[in-house]
Amino acid sequence: MSPDDSSVRTLSCPACGGMIAMRAAGYTVTLACEYCGTLIDATNPDARIITRYHEVQASLAIPLGTRGTLRGVEWEAIGWLQRSDGWVSWEEYLLFNPYAGYCWLIAQNGQWSLGTMLTAAPQRDGSDQIAASRRFSPFYSGNTARVTRVAGEFYWRVKVGEEVRATDYVRPGFMLSLEQDDQEKNWTISEWLSGREIRAAFDVDPPPTWLPGMTPLAHQPSPYARRIKGWWPIAALSFVALLLLLILLGGTMQPQSFSLSATPDGPAVSQTFGPIRLPLGRQAMTVEAVTPNVEQGWVDIDVSFVDRKTQDSYDAYAINERYSGRDSDGYWSEGDRSQTLKVASLPAGTYDLVVDVKAHHWSSSGSFSYDSAGGAYKADGLPPVEIVLTVARGARFASNFWLAVLMILVPPLLMLVLHIVFENARLAQKDGSPADADDWLQGIRSP
Amino acid sequence: MQSVACPTCGAEVSFRSPALPVRVCDYCRTLVVRTSQSAQAMGETAVLPFDISPIQIGTEGRCFDQGFQIVGRVRWAWDDGAWNEWLMLLADGSHAWLGEAMGQFMALREVELTGSLAQVIRRLMNDTPVKPGESGNIAGHAYEVADIRTVRCIGCEGELPFTAPAGWEALSVDFRNRDGRCASFQKDAHGPSLYVGQYVTLASLQPRNLRALPGWSLHPHVA
């Protein structure tokens, strides 16, 4: 191949003789032999050795020379660094495209980020930094990042052992890093890449799914934040569907009304109404018991649906009561003159409604007379209490409804708990103040 | 356009702009300086080493709100690397520089070193050392010194506003500001000069006639 047919220049390593490629001629300053690791000065026409190594190079997740398309740009991996801050180590691939320049792929704990150098310095706002109109909060400060291994080519004089002071600012999904030494200050924004995105570009192992107990990256977005947000429309739709079901199917039909009366403190009254015909295999019944004129007293109401054929009985019970008076605060009243009873699952059949009522009057003073006809005392001058029963097929069981609502809420609540566990694990690494609810919320709010 | 015969090899050497009196002969790499009547050879430049810059002489585009054409290049090197300064001939006849380093581009125009200058510039003019991080106002904007280097010219091509002999040394100080503006101060044996401008992306230049690089398709954003 004649030199002009290719953008790649090859040379033999002055240390081991291996043929090594130079893919960014003119930009590249340092070349690290991919076979023995020897550092070569690429600005010197004789390819002078800077530091001689005899080290078998690591096998890289992305072999140098591999190309991949990320965000619409074809990149070639030309350099690789391993760096460490004493606690954790990570790898950085230098990506190159002659028309697009350079960017970085950073790999740590199997997670990948795309780093771009900033040409404009961020704006400081309190302890935060604003870069590319995004706000970043402080995360790590004053770490020293040291180059531990190197392969391929770089546009600066890279050295094993080279150190920079690093300060990192974070927002979910992004990290803003300042790296400085005595000569230079460089700002980089790295964006976390989803497993799908990195694998579509370069054939790397899928990033591990986060599980409680694992340490996420400082800028790794909570996997639950998006799911929680995605759940709300589903929850809202389910809620509307439930309401519709309740309205359409939970309505009552064919109301029948019966009334009877009972004298306060008079004898119990028992009466049978019917027939009530129930056509469906199973149905719920609603009985609305109203006592419009009960006053200073209560009425015990027992209702039973009795199947004429089988004599099976389905019972319900209500107390309607009403007390009122006047005190220093003025008029008061309490008690309910109306109750709704529900009886579930009546089989088809013809029923009688058997009603037993007893009205009571509550009074510390009052005159009673013996009613010879009724054989009991009765309160003088008290009118009989009217009881109106309205029986209808069907019933709304609100408890079922709330149970369903709870079940809709369980997944997002579970995800919220996992989200908080994730954010706590992420923020536990932060230098300075511990995590609080604001941090959890920020994780959900920002994309 | 004015054409003269190369004083060394006799090949035709053409000058496009009266403001650009220097031309590197495409054949023998002689630095040809045009005078009012004739052309004079001012030495020979080194062969430019192979690089894979996407820019070439003849690349056109838009910068400083007008069209430009690349007519020349100076390549500079310092201890730890090298970069290109491409000369843009602008539609209004003036010229500007397109600096290309580490895959990033800076569009810079020379400004006069007159009027009230920032202290940091005055100190640079007086050969007083400055440090990265020092700040000062240049042409109405706040800048910070990004780096200070001694640089040397390692070659040139095309048309130039000055002779650029190989081995020519200068002090080069780069300034950056918060909005992506940049400035560059240079001082050599002939005196100081100051350039201001901003970082640009290749795409924002709407370039045409970029250099085709074997094995690479034109970047979709700039093609």
Side-chain angles (χ1 to χ4, degrees):
Chain A
M1 192 190 282
S2 98
D4 288 337
D5 288 346
S6 169
S7 298
V8 181
R9 290 291 173 270
T10 54
L11 61 152
S12 67
C13 170
C16 73
M19 286 304 283
I20 49 182
M22 184 152 71
R23 300 179 172 92
Y27 298 108
T28 292
V29 170
T30 316
L31 199 54
C33 172
E34 53 196 279
Y35 307 106
C36 67
T38 291
L39 292 179
I40 301 155
D41 182 353
T43 62
N44 187 311
D46 305 322
R48 188 171 52 94
I49 291 174
I50 302 169
T51 316
R52 185 186 293 268
Y53 289 100
H54 281 292
E55 191 185 318
V56 177
Q57 285 294 287
S59 73
L60 306 182
I62 302 175
L64 297 184
T66 305
R67 290 198 185 179
T69 302
L70 207 50
R71 312 261 158 104
V73 181
E74 184 184 29
W75 296 103
E76 184 164 332
I78 67 167
W80 172 84
L81 290 174
Q82 191 185 51
R83 299 168 90 188
S84 162
D85 65 3
W87 301 97
V88 291
S89 84
W90 64 96
E91 293 168 50
E92 300 184 0
Y93 288 88
L94 181 61
L95 302 185
F96 175 71
N97 172 309
Y99 300 104
Y102 289 99
C103 69
W104 291 97
L105 260 188
I106 303 138
Q108 188 181 346
N109 300 344
Q111 300 284 340
W112 296 81
S113 304
L114 180 65
T116 328
M117 253 227 284
L118 295 184
T119 51
Q123 204 91 40
R124 179 192 272 274
D125 182 26
S127 61
D128 290 352
Q129 297 278 354
I130 315 256
S133 36
R134 291 189 170 110
R135 175 177 292 271
F136 293 81
S137 329
F139 204 92
Y140 295 126
S141 56
N143 290 330
T144 299
R146 187 169 174 274
V147 175
T148 49
R149 294 176 93 175
V150 47
E153 55 190 285
F154 301 89
Y155 56 78
W156 75 98
R157 200 59 92 195
V158 69
K159 284 194 284 285
V160 172
E162 175 185 74
E163 289 183 348
V164 290
R165 289 189 307 282
T167 310
D168 299 302
Y169 300 80
V170 150
R171 64 182 283 117
F174 298 88
M175 180 180 268
L176 172 71
S177 307
L178 168 66
E179 293 187 350
Q180 55 187 332
D181 58 16
D182 296 335
Q183 266 87 54
E184 274 191 303
K185 264 173 121 175
N186 277 314
W187 289 93
T188 311
I189 285 189
S190 352
E191 185 177 354
W192 181 81
L193 296 173
S194 69
R196 189 185 307 166
E197 203 166 9
I198 181 65
R199 280 168 62 74
F202 293 97
D203 182 28
V204 296
D205 289 338
T209 307
W210 181 81
L211 294 169
M214 288 165 69
T215 302
L217 296 189
H219 61 298
Q220 192 172 337
S222 160
Y224 302 102
R226 188 177 303 169
R227 284 184 229 168
I228 292 170
K229 276 190 281 187
W231 192 263
W232 289 123
I234 298 171
L237 269 177
S238 314
F239 188 77
V240 168
L242 262 182
L243 273 180
L244 276 175
L245 272 176
L246 197 69
I247 290 163
L248 291 179
L249 301 179
T252 51
M253 293 176 290
Q254 300 169 341
Q256 284 173 274
S257 283
F258 312 103
S259 62
L260 67 161
S261 64
T263 311
D265 290 335
V269 177
S270 184
Q271 220 169 317
T272 300
F273 304 101
I276 297 165
R277 289 193 177 81
L278 301 182
L280 299 179
R282 288 270 170 190
Q283 52 253 292
M285 298 300 291
T286 302
V287 181
E288 211 185 338
V290 185
T291 49
N293 64 342
V294 64
E295 196 63 59
Q296 316 295 34
W298 72 99
V299 186
D300 295 309
I301 305 164
D302 285 288
V303 295
S304 299
F305 290 92
V306 180
D307 190 321
R308 284 190 179 177
K309 208 183 281 170
T310 63
Q311 293 301 307
D312 284 344
S313 168
Y314 301 85
D315 306 332
Y317 169 69
I319 294 180
N320 285 14
E321 53 192 345
R322 174 72 165 198
Y323 309 98
S324 65
R326 196 168 277 282
D327 61 15
S328 54
D329 293 332
Y331 178 79
W332 60 268
S333 70
E334 60 180 45
D336 243 326
R337 280 171 165 165
S338 166
Q339 301 278 339
T340 302
L341 305 174
K342 287 165 195 164
V343 185
S345 283
L346 267 67
T350 304
Y351 287 83
D352 282 322
L353 183 70
V354 180
V355 184
D356 293 295
V357 295
K358 181 147 174 52
H360 302 270
H361 183 73
W362 186 88
S363 179
S364 52
S365 65
S367 55
F368 296 87
S369 63
Y370 187 73
D371 178 13
S372 51
Y377 285 98
K378 72 170 216 189
D380 280 339
L382 285 176
V385 175
E386 291 291 324
I387 299 118
V388 181
L389 297 164
T390 308
V391 176
R393 278 203 290 131
R396 282 183 191 142
F397 288 95
S399 55
N400 289 356
F401 172 74
W402 290 116
L403 201 65
V405 168
L406 195 69
M407 282 172 71
I408 293 171
L409 288 176
V410 161
L413 287 176
L414 197 68
M415 284 190 277
L416 187 65
V417 168
L418 284 167
H419 171 73
I420 289 171
V421 172
F422 176 93
E423 290 291 86
N424 277 348
R426 183 177 74 83
L427 294 162
Q429 311 164 75
K430 180 175 161 175
D431 298 334
S433 60
D436 59 23
D438 274 356
D439 293 308
W440 303 333
L441 280 177
Q442 205 205 353
I444 294 184
R445 254 187 250 124
S446 39
Chain B
M1 176 137 12
Q2 188 195 349
S3 292
V4 298
C6 170
T8 305
C9 72
E12 187 182 288
V13 175
S14 54
F15 293 86
R16 227 171 303 210
S17 160
L20 303 175
V22 180
R23 176 82 159 88
V24 179
C25 172
D26 294 338
Y27 300 94
C28 67
R29 313 208 58 78
T30 294
L31 270 168
V32 181
V33 180
R34 183 188 49 173
T35 57
S36 56
Q37 299 300 315
S38 61
Q40 207 184 332
M42 292 287 283
E44 195 181 314
T45 73
V47 177
L48 282 167
F50 174 81
D51 69 7
I52 76 164
S53 169
I55 308 284
Q56 61 185 355
I57 295 210
T59 295
E60 294 174 356
R62 283 190 71 79
C63 195
F64 298 111
D65 294 322
Q66 52 186 306
F68 72 81
Q69 188 180 15
I70 299 291
V71 296
R73 154 160 77 148
V74 181
R75 189 162 172 88
W76 293 94
W78 82 104
D79 288 345
D80 289 338
W83 79 97
N84 290 321
E85 296 279 359
W86 295 96
L87 183 65
M88 296 189 279
L89 182 62
L90 296 166
D92 66 5
S94 66
H95 60 261
W97 294 93
L98 182 64
E100 181 201 11
M102 304 188 299
Q104 293 179 331
F105 293 92
M106 285 157 280
L108 294 161
R109 270 208 278 205
E110 187 166 5
V111 291
E112 283 191 30
L113 276 167
T114 53
S116 59
L117 294 166
Q119 201 210 354
V120 62
I121 300 287
R122 292 203 308 273
R123 281 167 49 214
L124 283 168
M125 289 169 75
N126 298 332
D127 295 319
T128 315
V130 301
K131 286 199 191 91
E134 285 191 50
S135 55
N137 252 295
I138 303 171
H141 296 282
Y143 287 86
E144 233 178 56
V145 175
D147 54 59
I148 302 148
R149 293 166 179 148
T150 300
V151 299
R152 63 182 193 284
C153 173
I154 56 168
C156 54
E157 62 177 325
E159 291 170 70
L160 297 171
F162 44 67
T163 56
W168 172 29
E169 283 206 354
L171 172 77
S172 171
V173 180
D174 285 341
F175 294 85
R176 259 193 236 178
N177 103 331
R178 302 196 166 277
D179 314 321
R181 286 175 213 277
C182 50
S184 177
F185 174 90
Q186 285 206 359
K187 188 165 191 282
D188 61 14
H190 303 292
S193 49
L194 181 63
Y195 303 84
V196 295
Q198 72 234 14
Y199 278 94
V200 293
T201 61
L202 195 53
S204 75
L205 299 173
Q206 303 164 40
R208 294 182 305 281
N209 196 18
L210 284 173
R211 179 173 163 208
L213 292 160
W216 289 99
S217 53
L218 270 184
H219 187 290
H221 300 305
V222 300

